[in-house]
């Protein structure tokens, strides 16, 4: 609030001037309606020889903590939702060369976990703060709330501006791929409602409007319900694609088994090159000249099967829980396809080589 304006109104009220007269004079002098209304609202309408100020909003430490945590949860949720959207777009629209590996990456699972935690936390905290503001509208004027909101608006405006510029640049370059356009729309879908809500909220706080808040309640509830639907649908579809935790554990263990078998195969080649014969058992590969990660199944702890055939031919066998034969074959090398497997016991027929593979 302008201190000069506040001091003028204070002196005018103390000299017995009517509020309507003060308001009209200030408007004629060029002050804005909103500024005059807020300045007049700073003084109580009570009969007293001097102007009585209304209590200014005071922010308790607990309330400051709630605002800080709520905005942190909002940022974590927004960035994580963007990461999930980008992952889904890459999964469906990127070329096979650039697609992610089957199964979720650490970044994707972290983003899903962040949404599951941050989104309900944000809704809970905002609900508590909204109840507090409804009970005491002056809380809308708290400084930390205003600073964090304006910071959010600045960040949102910068993201939207950069998003639109990037889209126009790709359009002018004649390369608006479907995946890129969808990523731009995903950013707008996340940032747009957040920016619009907090811009509206700041206007209500600056204008000290309380009646419109109650009228806008159905719209706000609709916005929250829409956000919940989008988040739940995104989480559900993402979890459907990546599989349940149990399924992902099976995939991880099977990949570890394939890594062990590939490692064993390389070391059998080394043994054959150094000794001119096949190792009698996998235990022969455990020594200072070899670098075998493990000759045992990561789940059961039992050794992998090793069977010597004629000459330098041999088999190594393991039990698998999943089928990796449907993974995008066009982006897998021939050496990787050697380790295709289905569920159950699988044996891989190989030959030891004296030269590196």
């Amino acid at each position: 609030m302008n201190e000069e304006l506040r001091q003028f109104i204070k002196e005018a009220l103390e000299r017995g001037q009517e509020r309507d007269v003060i308001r009209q004079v200030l408007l004629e002098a060029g002050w804005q309606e909103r500024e005059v209304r807020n300045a007049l609202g700073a003084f109580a309408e009570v009969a007293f020889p001097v102007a009585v100020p209304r209590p200014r909003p005071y922010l308790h430490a607990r309330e400051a903590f709630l605002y800080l945590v709520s905005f942190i949860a909002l940022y974590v949720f927004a960035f994580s939702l963007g990461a999930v959207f980008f992952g889904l777009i890459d999964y469906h629209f990127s070329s096979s060369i650039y697609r992610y590996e089957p199964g979720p990456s650490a970044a994707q699972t972290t983003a899903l976990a962040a949404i599951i935690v941050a989104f309900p936390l944000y809704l809970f905290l905002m609900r508590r703060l909204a109840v507090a503001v409804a009970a005491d509208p002056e809380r809308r004027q708290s400084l930390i709330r205003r600073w964090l909101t304006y910071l959010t608006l600045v960040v949102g405006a910068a993201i939207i501006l950069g998003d639109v510029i990037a889209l126009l640049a790709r359009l002018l370059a004649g390369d608006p791929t479907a995946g890129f356009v969808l990523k731009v729309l995903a950013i707008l879908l996340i940032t747009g409602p957040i920016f619009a809500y907090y811009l509206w909220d700041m206007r209500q706080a600056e204008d000290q409007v309380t009646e419109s808040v109650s009228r806008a309640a159905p719209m706000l509830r609709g916005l929250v319900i829409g956000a919940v639907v989008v988040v739940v649908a995104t989480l559900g579809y993402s979890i459907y694609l990546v599989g349940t935790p149990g399924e992902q554990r099976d995939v991880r263990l099977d990949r570890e088994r394939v890594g062990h078998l590939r490692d064993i195969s390389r070391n059998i080649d080394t043994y054959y090159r150094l000794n001119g014969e096949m190792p009698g058992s996998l235990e022969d590969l455990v020594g200072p000249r070899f670098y075998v990660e493990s000759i045992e199944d990561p789940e059961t702890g039992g050794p992998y099967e090793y069977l010597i055939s004629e000459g330098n031919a041999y088999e190594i066998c393991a039990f698998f829980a999943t089928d990796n034969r449907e993974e995008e074959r066009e982006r897998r090398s021939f050496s990787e396809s050697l380790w295709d497997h289905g569920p159950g016991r699988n044996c891989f027929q190989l030959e030891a080589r004296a030269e590196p593979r």
Side-chain angles (χ1 to χ4, degrees):
M1 182 187 301
N2 186 286
E3 184 60 29
E4 183 181 9
L5 176 61
R6 181 181 179 279
Q7 187 62 31
F8 172 82
I9 292 176
K10 179 177 181 296
E11 293 179 1
L13 289 172
E14 290 176 349
R15 293 184 181 184
Q17 297 295 325
E18 296 291 334
R19 287 175 175 264
D20 290 339
V21 174
I22 298 173
R23 174 180 172 277
Q24 187 61 37
V25 168
L26 289 172
L27 292 177
E28 291 176 359
W31 291 92
Q32 298 295 320
E33 171 70 29
R34 177 176 58 82
E35 295 176 308
V36 175
R37 183 173 62 249
N38 290 346
L40 284 170
F43 296 94
E45 298 185 39
V46 295
F48 200 72
V50 297
V52 180
R54 295 183 186 273
R56 293 190 178 184
Y58 175 75
L59 188 65
H60 297 281
R62 181 176 64 86
E63 189 175 2
F65 168 77
L66 293 178
Y67 275 121
L68 284 171
V69 175
S70 66
F71 276 91
I72 291 173
L74 174 64
Y75 295 148
V76 171
F77 159 69
F79 282 104
S80 299
L81 186 61
V84 171
F85 278 162
F86 279 23
L88 293 176
I89 292 169
D90 285 333
Y91 180 83
H92 287 290
F93 293 95
S94 294
S95 64
S96 60
I97 297 176
Y98 298 105
R99 283 189 185 175
Y100 293 146
E101 292 292 329
S105 66
Q108 291 170 310
T109 53
T110 300
L112 288 174
I115 293 174
I116 294 173
V117 174
F119 185 60
L121 176 62
Y122 172 72
L123 293 181
F124 171 75
L125 293 176
M126 292 307 294
R127 173 63 180 170
R128 290 199 60 176
L129 292 169
V131 170
V133 169
D136 182 9
E138 290 295 330
R139 291 176 181 265
R140 295 172 65 88
Q141 305 298 325
S142 64
L143 291 179
I144 190 169
R145 181 178 184 274
R146 295 162 70 90
W147 275 104
L148 289 173
T149 300
Y150 278 121
L151 175 62
T152 301
L153 290 175
V154 170
V155 173
I159 292 175
I160 293 174
L161 181 62
D163 202 34
V164 174
I165 290 174
L167 177 60
L168 290 177
R170 292 293 288 267
L171 290 174
L172 292 174
D175 187 27
T177 61
F180 177 79
V181 172
L182 287 173
K183 287 182 179 180
V184 170
L185 295 178
I187 294 175
L188 292 177
L189 176 64
I190 297 170
T191 311
I194 295 174
F195 182 85
Y197 167 73
Y198 281 106
L199 180 62
W200 169 85
D201 188 57
M202 272 294 94
R203 286 178 175 175
Q204 306 308 309
E206 290 179 352
D207 294 342
Q208 295 184 346
V209 178
T210 57
E211 295 84 0
S212 61
V213 176
S214 60
R215 291 198 300 267
M219 180 189 69
L220 295 177
R221 282 196 294 269
L223 180 64
V224 172
I225 292 173
V228 171
V229 170
V230 170
V231 171
V232 170
T234 303
L235 287 176
Y237 184 60
S238 300
I239 293 174
Y240 166 76
L241 290 179
V242 304
T244 64
E247 293 171 340
Q248 286 308 311
R249 178 178 180 274
D250 290 340
V251 171
R252 178 181 58 80
L253 288 173
D254 281 352
R255 288 180 180 174
E256 192 172 347
R257 292 182 180 104
V258 169
H260 290 170
L261 297 182
R262 186 185 286 116
D263 191 37
I264 290 171
S265 175
R266 286 194 296 264
N267 281 274
I268 289 176
D269 290 346
T270 301
Y271 188 97
Y272 184 72
R273 183 169 62 251
L274 294 175
N275 300 284
E277 61 180 3
M278 299 294 293
S281 66
L282 294 182
E283 284 77 8
D284 294 339
L285 303 179
V286 180
R289 294 183 297 176
F290 304 100
Y291 302 94
V292 178
E293 181 179 354
S294 176
I295 61 173
E296 298 177 344
D297 186 277
E299 184 177 25
T300 64
Y304 295 112
E305 294 183 54
Y306 168 64
L307 306 172
I308 302 176
S309 303
E310 296 182 1
N312 61 341
Y314 65 95
E315 287 185 350
I316 46 178
C317 306
F319 284 86
F320 294 89
T322 64
D323 189 339
N324 73 340
R325 291 171 295 187
E326 298 303 320
E327 296 178 3
E328 305 157 59
R329 294 181 181 276
E330 67 271 14
R331 64 176 183 78
R332 297 167 62 201
S333 66
F334 174 73
S335 61
E336 289 177 324
S337 65
L338 288 175
W339 304 101
D340 286 353
H341 61 79
R345 183 174 181 269
N346 288 256
C347 292
F348 303 92
Q349 298 179 353
L350 303 168
E351 292 184 356
R353 296 184 181 182
E355 68 280 358
R357 293 181 183 269

